[in-house]
Amino acid sequence: LPASRRPLAGSALALVALALGTGALVRGRVWQDDLTLSADLTRTAPGTALSHSVHGQALLAAGRFAEAVAAFERAVELAPDHPGTHNDLAIGLWRLGLPARSAAAYRESLRLDPTRASARQGLAYACHVLEDADCLREQREALAASDPAALRELDAAIAGR
């Protein structure tokens, strides 16, 4: 650069560095943990099921079950044909102590993806708690045929081991 433009180039570079540094500082405050990061994601991408599902998982991990269920319900609204969103909702409802609603969400997850062993395990355990022997038997039979290890895990959970 010619000597007459060097001060301008240096000033421009300093302004860019300041802007980038300020942006990083602001993002650093927003992204201080899973909850703040996922909450920011729902603010910046409110129309995506993934943003609400990720936020619901962070809320679930933080023990904020009612808020997690609300986030998962929003994810289901945005992606009603995604079995994972129904599975997440079922887990949140279970944590809220709502086994009948949890079972319904697990059933929807399985309707969309009959191979989802985690949903089948969750439904089977909910059926056990709800004392629905027919449902429990059906889920155990399906697990025995598709995923014997998942059946052993279920039996251990029911036995309290």
Side-chain angles (χ1 to χ4, degrees), residues 7-157:
L8 291 174
S11 296
L13 185 58
L15 285 174
V16 168
L18 179 63
L20 290 174
T22 301
L25 180 63
V26 168
R27 298 309 321 155
R29 286 190 191 129
V30 169
W31 295 350
Q32 60 189 326
D33 58 30
D34 289 345
L35 278 173
T36 58
L37 174 61
S38 63
D40 184 58
L41 183 59
T42 62
R43 279 190 298 276
T44 58
T48 66
L50 180 60
S51 68
H52 294 280
S53 184
V54 167
H55 189 50
Q57 291 166 9
L59 290 162
L60 198 64
R64 293 165 58 178
F65 305 134
E67 292 170 88
V69 165
F72 293 141
E73 286 173 335
R74 181 66 180 133
V76 165
E77 288 173 13
L78 293 167
D81 295 331
H82 190 273
T85 58
H86 292 279
N87 200 71
D88 290 343
L89 176 58
I91 293 167
L93 290 165
W94 181 265
R95 293 290 191 87
L96 265 181
L98 301 170
R101 286 189 57 203
S102 176
Y106 279 129
R107 281 189 176 94
E108 183 61 14
S109 179
L110 286 168
R111 184 188 70 75
L112 295 166
D113 180 4
T115 66
R116 187 176 279 274
S118 62
R120 196 161 303 283
Q121 278 180 309
L123 176 56
Y125 197 80
C127 292
H128 165 71
V129 169
L130 294 168
E131 299 179 353
D132 184 342
D134 291 337
C135 173
L136 177 58
R137 180 184 39 75
E138 289 169 14
Q139 302 315 311
R140 289 188 82 259
E141 288 172 0
L143 283 171
S146 65
D147 194 337
L151 176 60
R152 286 190 297 277
E153 290 173 8
L154 170 67
D155 288 342

